[in-house]
């Protein structure tokens, strides 16, 4: 087990999202603070579409945004990787983006970092040569996870919505 300077990392489990996970994500992410940098809480239909797309990504690519479970098996968010959407007119089109989103109950306990490490292991095993993370510059918690992973800040920019953002990159050695 990898440890932080102060405590061991929590146990995490990643699974391909199920139909039921769309409901769990909707509940876990209904908090305005959780969604502060992501446009606010979303409708259930958004999570139904997202979980279906992630099942397709897993089947086609071998990775996706997996449902994140704590050591007791409770859904606490998601983590993983997916291609940057080609329909977006900005950002790293063609790149593989890693990301994480956790419910408030999981904040500050090492879950995001532990889940991101598991994500890197899985995408490396799937043959992904490098990943990016696109993070709202005001999201100090996500910035800290990217930097702790050893990701390199490669660009600071303003999104089309006018928000300050950062692009981080990490080359993955063959594992």
């Amino acid at each position: 087990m990898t440890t932080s300077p102060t405590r061991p990392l929590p146990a995490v489990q990643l699974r391909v999202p199920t139909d039921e996970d769309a409901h769990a994500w909707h509940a876990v992410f209904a908090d305005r603070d959780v969604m502060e940098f992501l446009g606010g809480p979303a409708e259930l239909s958004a999570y139904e579409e997202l979980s279906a797309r992630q099942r397709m990504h897993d089947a086609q690519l071998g990775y996706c945004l997996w449902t994140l479970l704590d050591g007791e098996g409770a859904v606490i968010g998601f983590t993983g990787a997916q291609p940057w959407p080609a329909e977006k007119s900005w950002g790293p089109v063609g790149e593989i983006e890693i990301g994480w989103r956790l419910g408030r109950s999981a904040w500050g306990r090492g879950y995001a970092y532990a889940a991101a490490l598991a994500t890197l292991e899985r995408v490396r095993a799937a043959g992904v040569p490098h990943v990016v993370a696109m993070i709202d510059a005001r999201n100090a918690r996500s910035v800290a996870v990217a930097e702790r992973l050893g990701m390199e800040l490669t660009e600071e920019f303003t999104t089309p919505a006018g928000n300050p953002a950062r692009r981080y990159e990490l080359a993955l050695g063959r594992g």
Side-chain angles (χ1 to χ4, degrees):
M1 174 186 282
T2 304
T3 59
S4 73
T6 57
R7 65 179 183 255
L9 290 175
V12 295
Q13 301 170 50
L14 308 181
R15 73 168 179 227
V16 176
T18 64
D19 288 329
E20 294 78 24
D21 288 338
H23 294 271
W25 290 351
H26 181 250
V28 169
F29 303 145
D31 185 317
R32 290 204 175 281
D33 289 340
V34 170
M35 299 299 290
E36 177 182 5
F37 305 110
L38 301 164
E43 297 296 323
L44 174 60
S45 60
Y47 295 110
E48 291 170 334
E49 186 279 327
L50 180 60
S51 65
R53 185 169 12 118
Q54 298 314 311
R55 288 189 294 278
M56 180 190 71
H57 286 326
D58 184 72
Q60 293 176 347
L61 304 170
Y63 53 87
C64 65
L65 293 178
W66 295 285
T67 297
L68 175 58
L69 307 163
D70 66 12
E72 284 77 51
V75 173
I76 58 173
F78 63 63
T79 187
Q82 65 178 343
W84 184 263
E87 62 273 10
K88 286 192 177 183
S89 61
W90 64 279
V93 174
E95 301 277 356
I96 304 304
E97 180 188 28
I98 65 167
W100 43 86
R101 185 184 308 170
L102 281 68
R104 182 194 293 270
S105 67
W107 288 3
R109 299 173 56 197
Y111 285 113
Y113 181 64
L117 287 173
T119 292
L120 291 176
E121 288 177 21
R122 288 187 177 198
V123 296
R124 183 181 294 114
V128 175
H130 75 279
V131 293
V132 299
M134 303 295 282
I135 302 173
D136 187 302
R138 302 166 295 177
N139 188 342
R141 288 181 294 277
S142 280
V143 165
V145 171
E147 291 177 352
R148 186 170 179 201
L149 290 171
M151 298 188 84
E152 179 183 348
L153 176 61
T154 58
E155 182 181 5
E156 293 188 79
F157 62 97
T158 302
T159 68
N163 298 319
R166 293 180 172 183
R167 174 186 171 133
Y168 287 88
E169 296 187 19
L170 182 65
L172 302 176
R174 298 289 179 193

